[in-house]
Amino acid sequence: MKNNNFENIFDAYQLVSGAKIKGKQQDEIFELGAYDALKRGYTVYPLEHGIKYEDFSVIVSERELKANFLIEAGKANTAIAA
């Protein structure tokens, strides 16, 4: 996907479950899952051709998401407006 559809993550309010994110350095797309308070991070699932792979997930902290990932522009704007 092009970087035009993604923007920087500035606030935790942008991090909504179901939002598509991608790394700043690579073109892989991920889907953001729920926040896990016990593990202090968000569950991130790989997304390929529109299919979310739930058998593999990673926990990523909010700080790491802000520093290393971009969020889909439509999802971020919807979350802020709500």
Side-chain angles (χ1 to χ4, degrees):
M1 292 185 121
K2 296 180 182 178
N3 283 340
N4 300 350
N5 298 338
F6 291 88
E7 59 186 28
N8 288 324
I9 300 171
F10 298 109
D11 198 337
Y13 291 113
Q14 292 176 284
L15 302 174
V16 294
S17 183
K20 291 179 181 47
I21 60 172
K22 87 176 210 53
K24 290 182 179 179
Q25 302 298 323
Q26 69 271 16
D27 286 335
E28 293 182 65
I29 305 293
F30 302 95
E31 185 172 314
L32 196 61
Y35 179 77
D36 188 344
L38 296 176
K39 296 180 182 176
R40 297 182 186 157
Y42 291 86
T43 307
V44 176
Y45 300 98
L47 193 68
E48 189 172 326
H49 303 293
I51 300 171
K52 178 172 83 170
Y53 291 95
E54 294 184 359
D55 56 339
F56 177 79
S57 65
V58 179
I59 302 293
V60 181
S61 70
E62 179 183 334
R63 176 178 277 162
E64 189 175 340
L65 284 169
K66 287 180 180 180
N68 300 318
F69 289 89
L70 302 170
I71 193 164
E72 187 177 32
K75 289 285 184 185
N77 293 338
T78 302
I80 291 172

Coordinates of all heavy atoms in Angstrom, one line a residue:
M1 N 0.8 -1.2 0.0 CA 0.0 0.0 0.0 C 0.9 1.2 0.0 O 2.0 1.2 0.5 CB -0.9 0.0 1.2 CG -1.9 -1.0 1.3 SD -3.0 -0.8 2.7 CE -4.5 -0.6 1.8
K2 N 0.3 2.3 -0.5 CA 1.1 3.6 -0.5 C 1.1 4.2 0.8 O 0.1 4.1 1.6 CB 0.5 4.5 -1.6 CG 0.5 4.0 -3.0 CD -0.1 4.9 -3.9 CE 0.0 4.4 -5.3 NZ -0.7 5.3 -6.3
N3 N 2.1 5.0 1.1 CA 2.2 5.8 2.4 C 1.1 6.9 2.4 O 0.9 7.4 3.5 CB 3.5 6.4 2.6 CG 4.5 5.3 3.0 OD1 4.2 4.3 3.5 ND2 5.8 5.6 2.8
N4 N 0.5 7.2 1.3 CA -0.5 8.3 1.3 C -1.7 7.9 2.2 O -2.4 8.8 2.7 CB -1.0 8.6 -0.1 CG 0.1 9.0 -1.0 OD1 1.2 9.3 -0.5 ND2 -0.1 9.1 -2.3
N5 N -2.0 6.6 2.3 CA -3.2 6.2 3.1 C -2.9 6.1 4.6 O -3.8 5.9 5.4 CB -3.6 4.8 2.7 CG -4.1 4.8 1.2 OD1 -4.4 5.9 0.7 ND2 -4.1 3.7 0.6
F6 N -1.7 6.3 5.0 CA -1.2 6.2 6.4 C -0.7 7.5 6.9 O -0.1 8.3 6.2 CB -0.2 5.1 6.5 CG -0.8 3.7 6.3 CD1 -0.8 3.2 5.0 CD2 -1.3 2.9 7.3 CE1 -1.4 2.0 4.7 CE2 -1.9 1.7 7.0 CZ -1.9 1.2 5.7
E7 N -0.8 7.7 8.2 CA -0.3 8.9 8.9 C 0.4 8.5 10.2 O 0.1 7.4 10.7 CB -1.4 9.9 9.1 CG -2.5 9.5 9.9 CD -3.6 10.5 10.0 OE1 -3.8 11.3 9.0 OE2 -4.3 10.5 11.0
N8 N 1.1 9.4 10.8 CA 1.8 9.1 12.0 C 0.8 9.0 13.2 O -0.3 9.5 13.1 CB 2.8 10.3 12.4 CG 4.0 10.3 11.5 OD1 4.5 9.2 11.1 ND2 4.4 11.5 11.2
I9 N 1.2 8.2 14.2 CA 0.4 8.0 15.4 C 0.8 9.1 16.4 O 2.0 9.1 16.8 CB 0.5 6.6 15.9 CG1 0.1 5.6 14.8 CG2 -0.3 6.4 17.2 CD1 0.4 4.2 15.2
F10 N -0.1 10.0 16.8 CA 0.3 11.0 17.8 C -0.3 10.8 19.1 O 0.2 11.3 20.1 CB -0.2 12.4 17.2 CG 0.5 12.8 16.0 CD1 -0.2 12.8 14.8 CD2 1.8 13.1 16.0 CE1 0.4 13.2 13.6 CE2 2.5 13.5 14.8 CZ 1.7 13.5 13.6
D11 N -1.4 10.0 19.2 CA -2.2 9.9 20.5 C -2.7 8.5 20.6 O -3.1 7.9 19.6 CB -3.3 10.9 20.5 CG -3.8 11.2 21.8 OD1 -3.7 10.3 22.7 OD2 -4.5 12.3 22.0
A12 N -2.9 8.0 21.8 CA -3.5 6.7 22.0 C -4.9 6.6 21.6 O -5.4 5.5 21.3 CB -3.4 6.4 23.5
Y13 N -5.6 7.8 21.5 CA -7.0 7.7 21.0 C -7.1 7.3 19.5 O -8.2 6.9 19.1 CB -7.6 9.1 21.2 CG -7.9 9.5 22.6 CD1 -7.2 10.5 23.2 CD2 -8.8 8.8 23.4 CE1 -7.4 10.9 24.5 CE2 -9.0 9.1 24.7 CZ -8.3 10.2 25.3 OH -8.4 10.5 26.6
Q14 N -6.0 7.3 18.8 CA -6.0 6.9 17.4 C -6.0 5.3 17.4 O -6.3 4.7 16.4 CB -4.8 7.4 16.7 CG -4.9 8.9 16.4 CD -3.6 9.4 15.8 OE1 -2.6 9.5 16.4 NE2 -3.7 9.6 14.5
L15 N -5.5 4.7 18.4 CA -5.3 3.3 18.4 C -6.6 2.5 18.8 O -6.8 2.1 19.9 CB -4.2 2.9 19.5 CG -2.9 3.6 19.2 CD1 -1.9 3.3 20.3 CD2 -2.3 3.2 17.9
V16 N -7.4 2.3 17.8 CA -8.7 1.6 18.0 C -8.6 0.2 17.4 O -7.9 0.0 16.4 CB -9.9 2.4 17.3 CG1 -10.1 3.7 18.0 CG2 -9.6 2.6 15.8
S17 N -9.3 -0.7 18.0 CA -9.3 -2.1 17.6 C -9.8 -2.2 16.1 O -10.8 -1.5 15.8 CB -10.1 -2.9 18.5 OG -10.1 -4.3 18.1
G18 N -9.1 -2.9 15.3 CA -9.5 -3.0 13.9 C -8.8 -2.1 12.9 O -8.9 -2.2 11.7
A19 N -8.1 -1.1 13.5 CA -7.4 -0.2 12.6 C -6.2 -0.9 11.9 O -5.6 -1.8 12.5 CB -6.8 1.0 13.5
K20 N -5.9 -0.5 10.7 CA -4.8 -1.1 10.0 C -3.6 -0.2 10.2 O -3.7 1.0 10.1 CB -5.2 -1.1 8.5 CG -6.2 -2.2 8.3 CD -6.6 -2.3 6.8 CE -7.7 -3.3 6.6 NZ -8.8 -3.2 7.5
I21 N -2.5 -0.8 10.5 CA -1.2 -0.1 10.7 C -0.1 -0.8 9.9 O -0.3 -1.9 9.4 CB -0.8 -0.2 12.2 CG1 -0.6 -1.6 12.7 CG2 -1.8 0.6 13.1 CD1 0.0 -1.7 14.1
K22 N 0.9 0.0 9.6 CA 2.1 -0.5 8.9 C 3.3 0.1 9.5 O 3.3 1.2 10.0 CB 1.9 -0.3 7.4 CG 2.4 1.0 6.9 CD 2.3 1.0 5.4 CE 3.3 1.8 4.6 NZ 4.7 1.6 4.8
G23 N 4.4 -0.7 9.4 CA 5.7 -0.2 9.8 C 6.2 1.0 9.0 O 5.9 1.0 7.8
K24 N 7.0 1.9 9.6 CA 7.5 3.0 8.8 C 8.6 2.5 7.9 O 8.8 3.1 6.8 CB 8.1 4.0 9.8 CG 7.1 4.8 10.6 CD 7.7 5.8 11.5 CE 6.6 6.6 12.2 NZ 7.2 7.6 13.1
Q25 N 9.3 1.4 8.2 CA 10.4 0.9 7.4 C 10.0 -0.2 6.4 O 10.8 -0.5 5.5 CB 11.5 0.4 8.3 CG 12.0 1.5 9.3 CD 12.6 2.7 8.5 OE1 13.3 2.5 7.5 NE2 12.4 3.9 9.1
Q26 N 8.9 -0.9 6.6 CA 8.5 -2.0 5.8 C 7.1 -1.8 5.3 O 6.3 -1.0 5.8 CB 8.7 -3.3 6.5 CG 7.7 -3.6 7.6 CD 8.2 -3.1 9.0 OE1 9.1 -2.3 9.0 NE2 7.5 -3.5 10.0
D27 N 6.7 -2.6 4.3 CA 5.4 -2.5 3.7 C 4.4 -3.5 4.2 O 3.3 -3.6 3.7 CB 5.5 -2.6 2.2 CG 6.1 -1.4 1.5 OD1 6.0 -0.3 2.1 OD2 6.6 -1.5 0.4
E28 N 4.7 -4.2 5.3 CA 3.7 -5.2 5.8 C 2.6 -4.4 6.5 O 2.8 -3.5 7.2 CB 4.4 -6.1 6.8 CG 5.5 -7.0 6.2 CD 6.1 -7.9 7.2 OE1 5.4 -8.8 7.7 OE2 7.3 -7.8 7.4
I29 N 1.4 -5.0 6.4 CA 0.2 -4.4 7.0 C -0.2 -5.3 8.1 O -0.2 -6.5 8.0 CB -0.9 -4.3 6.0 CG1 -0.5 -3.5 4.7 CG2 -2.2 -3.6 6.6 CD1 -0.2 -2.0 5.0
F30 N -0.6 -4.6 9.2 CA -1.1 -5.4 10.4 C -2.5 -4.8 10.8 O -2.8 -3.7 10.5 CB -0.1 -5.2 11.6 CG 1.3 -5.6 11.3 CD1 2.2 -4.8 10.8 CD2 1.6 -7.0 11.4 CE1 3.5 -5.2 10.6 CE2 2.9 -7.4 11.2 CZ 3.8 -6.5 10.7
E31 N -3.2 -5.6 11.6 CA -4.5 -5.1 12.2 C -4.3 -5.0 13.7 O -3.8 -5.9 14.3 CB -5.6 -6.1 11.8 CG -6.9 -5.5 12.3 CD -8.1 -6.3 11.8 OE1 -8.1 -6.6 10.6 OE2 -9.0 -6.6 12.6
L32 N -4.7 -3.9 14.2 CA -4.6 -3.6 15.6 C -5.7 -4.3 16.4 O -6.9 -4.2 16.0 CB -4.6 -2.1 15.9 CG -4.2 -1.6 17.2 CD1 -2.7 -2.0 17.4 CD2 -4.3 -0.1 17.3
G33 N -5.4 -5.1 17.4 CA -6.3 -5.7 18.2 C -6.6 -4.9 19.5 O -6.3 -3.7 19.6
A34 N -7.1 -5.6 20.5 CA -7.4 -5.0 21.8 C -6.2 -4.7 22.6 O -5.2 -5.3 22.4 CB -8.4 -5.8 22.5
Y35 N -6.3 -3.7 23.5 CA -5.3 -3.4 24.5 C -5.3 -4.4 25.6 O -6.4 -4.7 26.1 CB -5.5 -2.0 25.0 CG -4.4 -1.6 26.0 CD1 -3.2 -1.2 25.6 CD2 -4.7 -1.6 27.4 CE1 -2.2 -0.9 26.5 CE2 -3.7 -1.3 28.3 CZ -2.5 -0.9 27.9 OH -1.5 -0.6 28.8
D36 N -4.2 -5.0 25.9 CA -4.1 -5.9 27.0 C -3.4 -5.2 28.2 O -2.2 -5.0 28.2 CB -3.3 -7.2 26.6 CG -3.3 -8.3 27.6 OD1 -3.6 -8.0 28.8 OD2 -3.0 -9.4 27.2
A37 N -4.1 -4.9 29.2 CA -3.6 -4.2 30.4 C -2.6 -5.0 31.2 O -1.6 -4.4 31.7 CB -4.7 -3.7 31.3
L38 N -2.7 -6.3 31.2 CA -1.8 -7.1 32.0 C -0.4 -7.1 31.3 O 0.6 -7.2 31.9 CB -2.3 -8.5 32.1 CG -3.6 -8.6 33.0 CD1 -4.1 -10.1 33.0 CD2 -3.3 -8.2 34.4
K39 N -0.4 -7.1 30.0 CA 0.8 -7.1 29.2 C 1.3 -5.7 28.8 O 2.3 -5.6 28.2 CB 0.7 -8.0 28.0 CG 0.4 -9.5 28.4 CD 0.2 -10.3 27.1 CE -0.1 -11.8 27.6 NZ -0.3 -12.6 26.5
R40 N 0.5 -4.7 29.1 CA 0.8 -3.3 28.8 C 1.1 -3.1 27.3 O 2.1 -2.5 27.0 CB 1.9 -2.8 29.6 CG 1.6 -2.9 31.1 CD 2.7 -2.3 31.9 NE 2.4 -2.5 33.3 CZ 3.4 -2.5 34.2 NH1 4.6 -2.4 33.9 NH2 3.0 -2.7 35.5
G41 N 0.2 -3.6 26.4 CA 0.4 -3.4 25.0 C -0.8 -3.8 24.2 O -1.7 -4.3 24.7
Y42 N -0.7 -3.5 22.9 CA -1.8 -3.8 22.0 C -1.4 -5.1 21.3 O -0.3 -5.3 20.9 CB -1.9 -2.7 21.0 CG -2.5 -1.4 21.6 CD1 -1.7 -0.5 22.2 CD2 -3.8 -1.2 21.5 CE1 -2.2 0.7 22.7 CE2 -4.4 0.0 22.1 CZ -3.5 0.9 22.7 OH -4.0 2.0 23.3
T43 N -2.4 -5.9 21.0 CA -2.3 -7.1 20.2 C -2.3 -6.7 18.8 O -3.2 -6.0 18.3 CB -3.4 -8.1 20.5 OG1 -3.5 -8.4 21.9 CG2 -3.1 -9.4 19.8
V44 N -1.3 -7.2 18.0 CA -1.2 -6.8 16.6 C -1.2 -8.1 15.8 O -0.4 -9.1 16.1 CB 0.1 -6.0 16.3 CG1 0.3 -5.8 14.9 CG2 0.1 -4.8 17.1
Y45 N -2.0 -8.2 14.8 CA -2.2 -9.4 13.9 C -1.7 -9.1 12.5 O -2.0 -8.0 12.0 CB -3.6 -9.8 13.8 CG -4.3 -10.2 15.2 CD1 -5.0 -9.2 15.8 CD2 -4.1 -11.4 15.7 CE1 -5.6 -9.5 17.1 CE2 -4.7 -11.7 17.0 CZ -5.4 -10.8 17.6 OH -6.0 -11.1 18.8
P46 N -1.0 -10.0 11.9 CA -0.6 -9.8 10.5 C -1.8 -9.8 9.6 O -2.8 -10.6 9.8 CB 0.3 -11.0 10.2 CG 0.1 -12.0 11.2 CD -0.5 -11.3 12.4
L47 N -1.8 -9.0 8.5 CA -2.9 -8.9 7.6 C -2.3 -9.1 6.2 O -1.4 -8.4 5.8 CB -3.6 -7.6 7.7 CG -4.9 -7.3 7.1 CD1 -6.0 -8.1 7.8 CD2 -5.3 -5.9 7.2
E48 N -2.9 -10.0 5.5 CA -2.4 -10.3 4.1 C -3.6 -10.5 3.2 O -4.4 -11.4 3.4 CB -1.5 -11.5 4.1 CG -0.8 -11.7 2.7 CD 0.3 -12.8 2.8 OE1 0.9 -12.9 3.9 OE2 0.5 -13.4 1.8
H49 N -3.7 -9.7 2.1 CA -4.7 -9.7 1.2 C -6.1 -9.6 1.9 O -7.1 -10.3 1.5 CB -4.7 -11.0 0.3 CG -3.4 -11.1 -0.4 ND1 -3.0 -10.3 -1.4 CD2 -2.4 -12.0 -0.3 CE1 -1.8 -10.7 -1.9 NE2 -1.4 -11.7 -1.2
G50 N -6.2 -8.8 2.9 CA -7.5 -8.6 3.6 C -7.8 -9.7 4.6 O -8.9 -9.6 5.2
I51 N -7.0 -10.7 4.8 CA -7.2 -11.8 5.7 C -6.4 -11.6 7.0 O -5.2 -11.5 6.9 CB -6.9 -13.1 5.1 CG1 -7.8 -13.3 3.9 CG2 -7.1 -14.3 6.1 CD1 -7.4 -14.5 3.0
K52 N -7.0 -11.5 8.1 CA -6.3 -11.4 9.4 C -6.0 -12.8 9.9 O -6.8 -13.7 10.0 CB -7.2 -10.7 10.4 CG -6.5 -10.5 11.8 CD -7.3 -9.6 12.7 CE -8.4 -10.4 13.4 NZ -9.1 -9.7 14.5
Y53 N -4.7 -13.0 10.2 CA -4.2 -14.3 10.7 C -4.2 -14.2 12.3 O -3.3 -13.7 12.9 CB -2.8 -14.6 10.2 CG -2.9 -14.9 8.7 CD1 -2.6 -13.9 7.8 CD2 -3.2 -16.1 8.2 CE1 -2.7 -14.1 6.4 CE2 -3.3 -16.4 6.9 CZ -3.0 -15.4 6.0 OH -3.1 -15.7 4.6
E54 N -5.2 -14.8 12.9 CA -5.3 -14.8 14.3 C -4.5 -15.8 15.0 O -4.4 -15.8 16.3 CB -6.8 -15.0 14.7 CG -7.6 -13.8 14.3 CD -9.1 -13.9 14.8 OE1 -9.4 -14.9 15.4 OE2 -9.8 -12.9 14.5
D55 N -3.9 -16.8 14.3 CA -3.1 -17.8 14.9 C -1.7 -17.3 15.3 O -0.9 -17.9 16.0 CB -2.9 -19.0 14.0 CG -2.4 -18.7 12.6 OD1 -2.5 -17.5 12.2 OD2 -1.9 -19.6 12.0
F56 N -1.4 -16.1 14.8 CA -0.1 -15.4 15.2 C -0.3 -14.0 15.6 O -1.0 -13.3 14.9 CB 0.9 -15.5 14.0 CG 2.2 -14.8 14.3 CD1 3.2 -15.4 15.0 CD2 2.4 -13.5 13.8 CE1 4.4 -14.8 15.3 CE2 3.6 -12.9 14.1 CZ 4.6 -13.5 14.8
S57 N 0.1 -13.6 16.7 CA 0.0 -12.2 17.2 C 1.2 -11.8 18.0 O 1.9 -12.6 18.5 CB -1.3 -12.0 18.0 OG -1.2 -12.8 19.2
V58 N 1.3 -10.5 18.1 CA 2.4 -9.9 18.8 C 1.9 -8.8 19.7 O 0.9 -8.1 19.3 CB 3.5 -9.2 17.8 CG1 4.6 -8.6 18.5 CG2 4.0 -10.3 16.8
I59 N 2.5 -8.6 20.9 CA 2.1 -7.5 21.8 C 3.1 -6.4 21.5 O 4.3 -6.6 21.6 CB 2.1 -8.0 23.2 CG1 1.2 -9.1 23.5 CG2 1.8 -6.8 24.2 CD1 -0.3 -8.9 23.3
V60 N 2.5 -5.2 21.2 CA 3.4 -4.0 21.0 C 2.9 -2.9 21.9 O 1.7 -2.6 22.0 CB 3.2 -3.6 19.5 CG1 4.1 -2.4 19.2 CG2 3.5 -4.7 18.5
S61 N 3.9 -2.2 22.5 CA 3.6 -1.1 23.4 C 3.1 0.1 22.6 O 3.4 0.3 21.5 CB 4.8 -0.8 24.3 OG 5.8 -0.2 23.5
E62 N 2.4 1.0 23.4 CA 2.0 2.2 22.8 C 3.2 3.1 22.3 O 3.2 3.6 21.2 CB 1.2 3.0 23.8 CG 0.7 4.3 23.2 CD -0.1 5.1 24.3 OE1 -0.6 4.5 25.2 OE2 -0.1 6.4 24.2
R63 N 4.2 3.1 23.1 CA 5.4 3.9 22.7 C 6.0 3.4 21.4 O 6.4 4.1 20.5 CB 6.4 3.8 23.8 CG 7.7 4.5 23.5 CD 8.7 4.4 24.6 NE 8.4 5.5 25.5 CZ 8.7 5.6 26.8 NH1 9.5 4.7 27.3 NH2 8.4 6.7 27.5
E64 N 6.1 2.0 21.3 CA 6.7 1.4 20.0 C 5.8 1.7 18.8 O 6.3 2.0 17.7 CB 6.9 0.0 20.2 CG 7.6 -0.7 19.1 CD 8.0 -2.1 19.3 OE1 7.9 -2.6 20.5 OE2 8.2 -2.8 18.3
L65 N 4.5 1.7 19.0 CA 3.5 2.0 18.0 C 3.7 3.4 17.5 O 3.8 3.6 16.3 CB 2.1 1.7 18.4 CG 1.6 0.3 18.5 CD1 0.3 0.2 19.2 CD2 1.5 -0.3 17.1
K66 N 3.8 4.3 18.4 CA 4.0 5.7 18.0 C 5.4 5.9 17.3 O 5.4 6.7 16.3 CB 4.0 6.6 19.2 CG 2.6 6.8 19.8 CD 2.7 7.7 21.0 CE 1.4 7.9 21.7 NZ 1.5 8.8 22.9
A67 N 6.4 5.2 17.7 CA 7.7 5.5 17.1 C 7.9 4.7 15.8 O 8.6 5.3 14.9 CB 8.8 5.0 18.1
N68 N 7.3 3.6 15.6 CA 7.7 2.7 14.5 C 6.6 2.4 13.5 O 6.8 1.6 12.5 CB 8.3 1.4 15.0 CG 9.6 1.6 15.8 OD1 10.4 2.5 15.4 ND2 9.7 1.0 16.9
F69 N 5.4 2.8 13.8 CA 4.2 2.5 12.9 C 3.4 3.7 12.5 O 3.5 4.7 13.1 CB 3.3 1.5 13.7 CG 3.9 0.1 13.9 CD1 4.6 -0.1 15.0 CD2 3.7 -0.9 13.0 CE1 5.2 -1.4 15.2 CE2 4.2 -2.1 13.2 CZ 5.0 -2.4 14.3
L70 N 2.7 3.5 11.4 CA 1.8 4.5 10.8 C 0.4 3.9 10.9 O 0.3 2.6 10.8 CB 2.1 4.8 9.4 CG 3.5 5.4 9.1 CD1 3.8 5.4 7.6 CD2 3.7 6.7 9.7
I71 N -0.6 4.7 11.0 CA -2.0 4.2 11.1 C -2.8 4.6 9.9 O -2.5 5.7 9.3 CB -2.7 4.6 12.4 CG1 -4.0 3.9 12.6 CG2 -2.9 6.1 12.4 CD1 -4.5 4.0 14.0
E72 N -3.7 3.8 9.4 CA -4.6 4.2 8.3 C -5.3 5.5 8.6 O -5.9 5.6 9.6 CB -5.6 3.0 8.0 CG -6.4 3.2 6.8 CD -7.3 2.0 6.5 OE1 -7.7 1.4 7.5 OE2 -7.5 1.7 5.4
A73 N -5.3 6.4 7.6 CA -5.8 7.7 7.8 C -7.3 7.7 8.1 O -7.7 8.4 9.0 CB -5.5 8.6 6.6
G74 N -8.1 6.9 7.5 CA -9.5 6.9 7.7 C -9.9 6.4 9.1 O -10.8 7.0 9.7
K75 N -9.2 5.4 9.6 CA -9.5 4.9 10.9 C -9.1 5.9 12.0 O -9.8 6.1 13.0 CB -8.8 3.6 11.2 CG -9.3 2.4 10.4 CD -10.6 1.9 11.0 CE -11.0 0.7 10.3 NZ -12.3 0.2 10.7
A76 N -8.0 6.5 11.8 CA -7.5 7.5 12.8 C -8.5 8.7 12.9 O -8.8 9.1 14.0 CB -6.1 8.0 12.5
N77 N -8.9 9.2 11.8 CA -9.8 10.4 11.8 C -11.2 10.0 12.4 O -11.8 10.8 13.0 CB -10.0 10.9 10.4 CG -8.7 11.5 9.8 OD1 -7.8 11.9 10.6 ND2 -8.5 11.6 8.6
T78 N -11.6 8.8 12.1 CA -12.9 8.4 12.6 C -12.9 8.3 14.1 O -13.8 8.6 14.8 CB -13.3 7.0 12.0 OG1 -13.3 7.1 10.6 CG2 -14.7 6.5 12.5
A79 N -11.8 7.8 14.6 CA -11.6 7.6 16.1 C -11.6 8.9 16.8 O -12.2 9.1 17.9 CB -10.3 6.8 16.4
I80 N -10.9 9.9 16.2 CA -10.8 11.2 16.8 C -12.2 12.0 16.8 O -12.6 12.6 17.8 CB -9.7 12.1 16.1 CG1 -8.4 11.5 16.4 CG2 -9.8 13.5 16.6 CD1 -7.3 12.1 15.7
A81 N -12.9 11.8 15.7 CA -14.2 12.5 15.6 C -15.3 11.9 16.5 O -16.2 12.6 16.9 CB -14.7 12.4 14.1
A82 N -15.1 10.6 16.9 CA -16.2 10.0 17.7 C -16.2 10.4 19.1 O -15.4 11.0 19.7 CB -16.0 8.5 17.6

